[in-house]
Amino acid sequence: MLKWVRKGLRAGIKTTGYPHTRESAPGISPGRPAAMLCDGPQEAGAVAGRCPTGALSNQGNMIRVDHRRCVHCGRCRQDHEHAMAWEGGYEWAGGRKAPGEMAAAFSRSLHIRILDAGACGACLSEIKQISSPYYNIHRLGFFITPTPRTADVLLVAGPLTDPMRLPLERCYAAMPDPKRVVAVGACAVSGGIFGPSFAAAAGISQCVPVDIEIPGCPPPPLALLHALLMVAGKTKQT
Amino acid sequence: MTETGSLLLTFFIVCGLGVFTGGLPGNEKHAACVSIIGSVASLALLTASGIVLLSGRAFSMALWALPLFGKMMLGMDRMSALFLFITGMVFLPVSIFSAGYLKRYTGRYSLKSFAVFYFLLFASIALTLMAMDVLSFVIGWEAMSLLGYLLVNYEHEQADTTRSGMVMLLMSEAGTLAVILAFVILARTTGDMGFASLRAGAVHLGAVAGWFVFLLSFFGFGVKAGLVPVNSWLPMAHPVAPGNVSAILSGVILNLGIYGIVRINADILPIAGTGQGLVVLLIGTLSALVGILYATPEDDMKKMLAHSSIENMGIVTAGLGAGFVFLTSGHPVPAGLAFIAALYHMTNHSLYKALLFLGAGSVDMQVGSRHMQGLGGLIRRMPWTALFFLVGALSIAALPPFNGFVSEWLTLQTLLQCAVLPSKAVKITFALCGAGLALTAALAVTCFVKAFAMNFLGKERSEKAAKAAEAAPSMTISMGILAVACFLFGILPTYVIPAMDRVVQPYVHVSAVDQLVPPFFTVGRGNDKFDRTFVADFHKLGAQVGSRVLPGRGLVIMHRGGKRNPVIFAMSPAYTVAVLLLLLGGTFLIIRLLTRRRSLTHGPAWSGGLGRLPPEMTYSATGFSNPVRVIFRGIFRPVTVRDARETVANHFRSAIRKDQLEIHMIDRLFGKPIVHYGRRLAERLGRMHSGRVNAYAAYVLAALLAVLLIQGLA
C-alpha cells in the first residue's frame, strides 16, 4: 500500500484543468472534416459522393459538412488529389435551446444517468473515461447515478434500436423535472450509419426531446465535458 | 373455599365441559366450541391468577393423601400466579383465533380430537403450574408433554410431522427423566414429596448433590425451554404444528421450562455458588446467539419464529443467571432487577411470539405457504394481519414503544451492573454476555425486518400470494388483542414492574421496586425511605403535580445508586411514546409546510426499464439475509451435496447448480456423537441377544447378585 502512496506522490496531479486551462489534445479523436471550397462543382460532387452517411453535400463548388451525420471514417481525405482538410478541436456540442434557458436549475451539481440505446460501445468507452482520474468529472460537481429518480441529465448513446425505445421513454418519464437530455455521438444525434432503418430510429430525438447534441464518432471525453458544462451553464461561448 | 379456589374450580369444570363437548358427535360446531369454552376458561384462569398476583393471598388446597408419595397439594403463590396469568393471556386470544383457524381442518382431520386434546392440555398446564408436590407436578408435566406432542402431531398424515413429533417426544421424555432424578435426589433427605418439605430438607443437601440437582433440573427443564444444547426439537416441532398450537407451544409451554428452573433453582434449592449462576448465564447467552443466528437466514416463517423462541428463552435464562450470580455474591437488589427483567421478558415473549405465530398461521392458512420466498405484497391483501404482525415484529426486534424494548433494555442494564461484583473473571464474563446479547438484539432487528418485509411488502412472489384474502374476523381480532397487549406492556412498564417485584421478593428478600420505579408522584417530601435532596430535586421538576393525574407510581424507570451517582440508568417508555408522536407529527407538519407549493406526480416504479418486473428479480429473503450467512459461515458450515455445471464448450457454462445442506450446529456438535456412540453401544449389546439360554440365566443371576450387594452395602 505504501508503494501506491509513493507512486501517487511521485506522479503528482495529472488531472486536466479543463475548462479553466486550455486543453490541446482531444484524446484519440482524429478531428473532423471542415467545410471546403473545391475547384469545380464536379469535383465537389465526387468528394461529397465518397461520404457513406451523407454528411457532405455540395452547393456548386462549396462542400458543406453536416457534422451531426459524420462518422469520421476518413474516406473524404483518402483521395490525395481532392483530400478534404480536417480540423482539430473538441468543443463540438450544440444546443437546441438558448443557453440562458439551460443554466437556471443546474448551476450547482449535476447527476447523470447514462443510457445505452443500442450503442456500438465506442461512445460508452469515451463516457467511461470522464470519471477516470484524468478527466475526473467529480471536480466539476458532476456525478453519475444509477437511477433516473435522482438524475438531472440523461446521457444517451446509440441510434435508439427498437427494443430500447420503451426503456428510454420510461427512463425519461422517471426523471424528475427539470431535466435535460444529451445525445452522445452521431448515432444518437442522427442515427449515424445505423438509422433510420428497420431496426433503429434516426437518433433519439424521435423519442425524447433532446436539449444538447454532441456529434462525433465517438466524441472525445472533452467534448462530453463541454456538453455537460453547457448544461450547467458554465461554458463561455454560445 | 376462597374466591380464588372457586374460580379455579370453575376453570377446571369449564375445561371438563370442553373435553365433554369435544367428545360429542358431529364435526361442525367444534371450532366455535373451542373458541367460546376456551375463552371462558381463560377468563376464569386470568381472574383467579390476577387476584393472587395483586392481593398476594397465596392459595393452597390439599387433594388426597397417597401412601407412598404423601399429600397431593395444589396451590398458587405469586410465582405460579404470574405463570398462570401469562398462560391465560395467551390462551384467550388463541382460543378466539381457533374459531376461524380450525376451519381449515374441517373434513380432513378430526376436530373432535383437537378439542379434547386442547382442553386437556390447558388443564394439565394449569395443574403443572399449581402443583405443590412432586407427584402432582410430574403428573401435570407428563400430561402436558404428551398432549403437547399429540397436538403438534395433529396433521398426522404428513410424513415429516411424525418424525418431528417423535424427536419432540424423545427429547421431552429425556428431560422429564432428568427432572424426576433431580426430584429423587432432593427427596432423599425428606420423607415427604411436598415442595415445602423439599425446601426445608434441601438445606441439608451437600454441595455435590446440590450440583447434581442443579445440572439435572436445569438441563431437564431446559429441554422444554429450548435451551442449548437441548433445543433441536423446537425448530422441528413448530413448522409442523398447527398455527394456534405453535402459539401455545412458544407462548406457554416454553415458559414451563423457565418455571421449572425458577421453582427448583430459586425456590426449593436456591443456587448456592457463583459457578452455577454463571452456567445459567452462559447457557442463556449461548442459546440467544445460536437461536438468532439460525433464525435470521431461515426461509420457513414458522421455523424462523421457532429459532427466535430459542433466542428469547436464552435472553430470559441469561437474566435469571445474572440474578443468581448477583444473589450468591450478596447483591440482592441487582438480583431482583435481573429476575424482574427475566420474568418481564418472558411475559413479553409470550405475548409477541403468540402474536407472530398467529400471524404466521393466518398467512399460512390464507396463502397456503409459509416460505417467505413465495410470499410478499400481502399488506395489500391482508392489511389487518400485516398491521398486527408489524406490531409483533417491532416488539420482538426490541424497538420502542413496544414491550420487547423495555425488557431487553432492562436485561442489558442489569448485566451492566456487574461493576458491583467482586471477581474480575465474573465481571468479564458478564461483559461478554452483555456484548453477546447486544449482538443478538441487532440480529433480531435484521431477522424481523426481513420477516415483515418479505411477507407483506413488495411484489407478490407467487400466484397464491396474489390471490390471498384477509383472514376471518375472529383471527384478526385475536391478533389485535395481543398487539394491544404488546403496546400496553411496552408503554406502561412502571405498572408491571411492581407486580413482578412482588413475585420475586420471596427469593431475593428485598424489594427492588423502590430502586427501580421510584414513586415520585406519590412520595411526600418527608418520606425517610428516600434521600431528602433526591426527592426535593424531583419535586422541583414538578413531580408532585402529577399525583392528581396518575394513580400509581411514576412513568419513569430509574435505577438509583448511591450519593455520588444518584441515577444509574433511567428511561420512560411512556414519555418516549409521547415524544415519538410529537416528533412524528411535527415532522409531518414541517414536510407538509415545505412541500405545500410543490406539485406531485405519480409514476410507475423504476424497474431498470424492463417491460415487466418479474417477482424473481425483486429483493429476495435469501438475498436480504445472505450477509449474515456469509459472515457466520464458520458457524453454519454448509456442506455441499451437489455441485453440477453444465457446459456447452470448455469455457461456456450454460447452468450452474449448487445444493448445500446445513446441519444445525448443536446437532453437529452434540446430536451426531450421541447418535454415533449410541449406535455402537447398541451394536455391542445386540451381540448378547443371540446367546444361549444358560448365558441368559447367568445374566439374571449376576444382576440379582449386584442388586443384593448394593443393598447390603447401603
Side-chain angles (χ1 to χ4, degrees):
Chain A
M1 203 160 99
L2 205 65
K3 220 164 82 184
W4 296 350
V5 175
R6 222 179 289 145
K7 193 181 170 193
L9 284 175
R10 206 177 302 142
I13 297 173
K14 295 286 182 192
T15 307
T16 172
Y18 182 81
H20 306 296
T21 57
R22 196 81 197 140
E23 181 76 35
S24 55
I28 56 162
S29 176
R32 59 182 189 178
M36 189 178 87
L37 205 60
C38 280
D39 299 342
Q42 263 177 354
E43 285 171 5
V47 171
R50 286 211 293 275
C51 182
T53 59
L56 305 182
S57 56
N58 66 317
Q59 284 177 336
N61 43 7
M62 180 72 189
I63 302 180
R64 292 187 184 283
V65 187
D66 178 8
H67 288 121
R68 295 174 69 246
R69 299 204 66 85
C70 175
V71 293
H72 310 307
C73 63
R75 278 170 69 110
C76 52
R77 64 171 179 185
Q78 270 169 0
D79 186 350
H80 293 295
E81 277 180 41
H82 304 290
M84 280 189 77
W86 279 33
E87 62 185 14
Y90 47 83
E91 291 186 337
W92 297 340
R96 290 187 153 203
K97 282 188 178 171
E101 248 179 290
M102 307 290 283
F106 302 117
S107 55
R108 283 165 188 276
S109 80
L110 281 185
H111 283 254
I112 302 154
R113 159 84 200 184
I114 296 159
L115 193 98
D116 170 1
C120 65
C123 289
L124 293 174
S125 97
E126 299 301 303
I127 290 172
K128 206 157 91 186
Q129 291 301 317
I130 59 173
S131 51
S132 70
Y134 186 77
Y135 297 105
N136 190 9
I137 50 169
H138 303 117
R139 71 199 156 95
L140 301 168
F142 301 156
F143 302 96
I144 290 170
T145 166
T147 161
R149 281 274 187 257
T150 57
D152 307 306
V153 177
L154 185 59
L155 206 62
V156 192
L160 188 58
T161 52
D162 283 349
M164 285 311 288
R165 187 180 279 270
L166 194 64
L168 177 62
E169 271 171 10
R170 286 188 184 201
C171 191
Y172 183 75
M175 284 169 64
D177 280 321
K179 52 193 168 189
R180 296 284 176 263
V181 179
V182 176
V184 180
C187 294
V189 172
S190 66
I193 57 168
F194 298 111
S197 74
F198 66 94
I204 60 163
S205 60
Q206 297 195 333
C207 180
V208 291
V210 174
D211 299 299
I212 288 184
E213 293 176 335
I214 318 174
C217 188
L222 285 171
L224 296 170
L225 278 188
H226 176 240
L228 292 173
L229 286 166
M230 254 174 106
V231 174
K234 287 176 186 164
T235 44
K236 276 167 233 141
Q237 79 281 26
T238 52
Chain B
M1 201 179 268
T2 56
E3 53 185 328
T4 318
S6 47
L7 277 165
L8 285 175
L9 194 63
T10 319
F11 164 74
F12 281 114
I13 288 173
V14 172
C15 277
L17 184 72
V19 173
F20 176 71
T21 53
L24 289 178
N27 216 1
E28 299 304 309
K29 296 271 182 282
H30 283 306
C33 271
V34 166
S35 173
I36 295 165
I37 299 177
S39 308
V40 174
S42 320
L43 284 174
L45 192 62
L46 274 174
T47 333
S49 53
I51 289 171
V52 175
L53 210 51
L54 290 178
S55 71
R57 281 197 305 272
F59 159 80
S60 137
M61 185 171 76
L63 291 178
W64 308 282
L66 295 179
L68 202 55
F69 296 99
K71 248 194 287 178
M72 280 178 82
M73 296 271 292
L74 283 189
M76 205 201 296
D77 56 2
R78 274 196 161 123
M79 181 62 77
S80 297
L82 174 69
F83 281 82
L84 284 168
F85 193 77
I86 300 170
T87 308
M89 259 191 323
V90 174
F91 260 94
L92 177 65
V94 169
S95 299
I96 300 173
F97 182 85
S98 302
Y101 186 77
L102 284 181
K103 292 214 171 90
R104 72 185 299 201
Y105 296 119
T106 324
R108 281 167 60 212
Y109 293 98
S110 157
L111 291 187
K112 218 186 280 181
S113 54
F114 185 91
V116 172
F117 295 155
Y118 185 79
F119 287 109
L120 283 177
L121 176 69
F122 198 1
S124 66
I125 288 171
L127 178 69
T128 312
L129 289 173
M130 284 194 289
M132 285 296 146
D133 70 304
V134 175
L135 184 63
S136 0
F137 183 83
V138 170
I139 290 175
W141 185 267
E142 198 52 28
M144 177 270 294
S145 298
L146 289 175
L147 289 161
Y149 159 73
L150 286 173
L151 280 174
V152 165
N153 210 1
Y154 184 62
E155 295 177 39
H156 55 83
E157 283 173 13
Q158 271 143 23
D160 54 339
T161 311
T162 315
R163 186 169 174 271
S164 311
M166 289 315 281
V167 172
M168 174 187 181
L169 198 61
L170 176 80
M171 294 192 69
S172 134
E173 288 310 296
T176 312
L177 277 181
V179 168
I180 291 177
L181 216 55
F183 276 127
V184 167
I185 297 177
L186 273 173
R188 250 179 7 145
T189 48
T190 55
D192 193 36
M193 299 288 256
F195 282 170
S197 42
L198 286 185
R199 193 176 305 135
V203 188
H204 311 296
L205 220 57
V208 179
W211 263 100
F212 267 110
V213 171
F214 162 71
L215 287 177
L216 283 170
S217 64
F218 181 63
F219 286 102
F221 286 124
V223 173
K224 265 284 169 281
L227 298 178
V228 163
V230 279
N231 58 349
S232 310
W233 66 276
L234 203 55
M236 294 173 92
H238 268 300
V240 299
N244 44 1
V245 176
S246 283
I248 288 171
L249 200 57
S250 252
V252 177
I253 292 183
L254 294 190
N255 291 352
L256 294 181
I258 300 291
Y259 173 76
I261 292 170
V262 173
R263 186 54 85 194
I264 288 202
N265 295 319
D267 183 20
I268 294 178
L269 175 67
I271 277 187
T274 310
Q276 297 174 352
L278 282 181
V279 169
V280 178
L281 175 65
L282 284 173
I283 291 282
T285 312
L286 212 61
S287 303
L289 270 175
V290 169
I292 198 63
L293 273 180
Y294 278 91
T296 312
E298 186 56 58
D299 179 48
D300 183 329
M301 215 195 312
K302 281 173 91 177
K303 222 176 207 174
M304 184 265 295
L305 290 174
H307 282 299
S308 139
S309 285
I310 296 172
E311 173 230 334
N312 279 283
M313 283 297 134
I315 296 174
V316 173
T317 312
L320 288 179
F324 290 141
V325 173
F326 281 126
L327 202 57
T328 49
S329 2
H331 295 285
V333 173
L337 296 186
F339 287 139
I340 289 173
L343 291 180
Y344 200 171
H345 194 72
M346 188 189 70
T347 314
N348 292 341
H349 172 249
S350 295
L351 291 174
Y352 55 62
K353 194 47 75 63
L355 170 58
L356 289 168
F357 266 119
L358 294 188
S362 358
V363 168
D364 187 14
M365 180 175 174
Q366 301 304 114
V367 182
S369 167
R370 294 187 310 263
H371 291 272
M372 289 185 235
Q373 217 65 284
L375 298 169
L378 289 177
I379 196 168
R380 291 182 288 279
R381 311 263 176 281
M382 309 170 71
W384 287 108
T385 309
L387 174 69
F388 299 139
F389 195 92
L390 176 65
V391 171
L394 288 175
S395 307
I396 200 168
L399 295 176
F402 295 101
N403 56 1
F405 170 71
V406 182
S407 47
E408 276 209 44
W409 179 80
L410 266 180
T411 309
L412 284 174
Q413 287 289 7
T414 318
L415 285 179
L416 290 180
Q417 298 305 302
C418 63
V420 300
L421 292 170
S423 155
K424 275 233 168 64
V426 176
K427 274 187 202 174
I428 291 171
T429 317
F430 264 61
L432 287 178
C433 288
L437 290 186
L439 174 64
T440 308
L443 283 170
V445 176
T446 319
C447 179
F448 283 92
V449 164
K450 172 188 146 192
F452 181 74
M454 294 306 155
N455 286 337
F456 294 103
L457 305 181
K459 282 192 79 121
E460 297 86 355
R461 292 196 201 82
S462 66
E463 290 261 316
K464 285 186 283 184
K467 281 183 195 149
E470 179 61 281
S474 64
M475 294 161 78
T476 46
I477 287 171
S478 55
M479 285 186 270
I481 295 173
L482 284 167
V484 169
C486 280
F487 183 62
L488 288 181
F489 273 73
I491 61 165
L492 297 172
T494 47
Y495 294 92
V496 183
I497 289 171
M500 301 268 175
D501 178 60
R502 285 198 288 273
V503 170
V504 300
Q505 219 164 334
Y507 311 117
V508 296
H509 309 296
V510 291
S511 163
V513 76
D514 279 339
Q515 310 285 327
L516 194 58
V517 189
F520 292 128
F521 295 112
T522 46
V523 72
R525 254 170 227 273
N527 194 325
D528 54 355
K529 240 168 131 186
F530 294 92
D531 190 37
R532 205 170 284 265
T533 50
F534 187 71
V535 176
D537 276 350
F538 277 90
H539 278 212
K540 249 184 252 161
L541 292 171
Q544 199 67 2
V545 180
S547 63
R548 304 235 178 89
V549 190
L550 289 165
R553 287 164 178 268
L555 294 174
V556 184
I557 299 174
M558 194 168 78
H559 184 34
R560 300 191 302 125
K563 271 223 163 82
R564 249 181 51 226
N565 184 13
V567 178
I568 296 182
F569 59 79
M571 181 202 42
S572 169
Y575 292 141
T576 307
V577 76
V579 171
L580 267 179
L581 285 178
L582 277 178
L583 285 177
L584 270 177
T587 316
F588 179 73
L589 279 181
I590 289 172
I591 289 177
R592 279 298 291 273
L593 269 177
L594 287 179
T595 58
R596 214 175 17 175
R597 293 206 194 124
R598 288 192 195 161
S599 64
L600 192 66
T601 49
H602 288 275
W606 171 245
S607 57
L610 292 166
R612 191 177 63 90
L613 185 65
E616 298 83 28
M617 290 182 66
T618 57
Y619 211 6
S620 72
T622 317
F624 187 83
S625 55
N626 204 41
V628 175
R629 206 186 274 275
V630 171
I631 292 168
F632 296 101
R633 190 182 283 153
I635 290 174
F636 292 128
R637 297 238 184 120
V639 186
T640 308
V641 285
R642 184 174 148 191
D643 194 357
R645 275 153 203 214
E646 281 175 30
T647 48
V648 175
N650 246 352
H651 301 292
F652 193 81
R653 282 182 198 145
S654 57
I656 297 178
R657 186 193 165 98
K658 199 168 184 179
D659 292 352
Q660 284 192 323
L661 189 71
E662 264 172 21
I663 300 172
H664 194 288
M665 182 182 149
I666 298 301
D667 293 343
R668 204 169 58 222
L669 294 178
F670 294 90
K672 248 172 136 181
I674 288 176
V675 170
H676 179 72
Y677 288 111
R679 274 202 180 143
R680 268 182 45 185
L681 189 69
E683 266 168 30
R684 294 261 167 86
L685 290 177
R687 284 183 207 154
M688 285 169 41
H689 270 293
S690 47
R692 289 179 303 171
V693 180
N694 302 11
Y696 288 148
Y699 297 147
V700 173
L701 198 64
L704 189 66
L705 271 178
V707 170
L708 286 177
L709 262 177
I710 292 169
Q711 194 66 22
L713 287 175

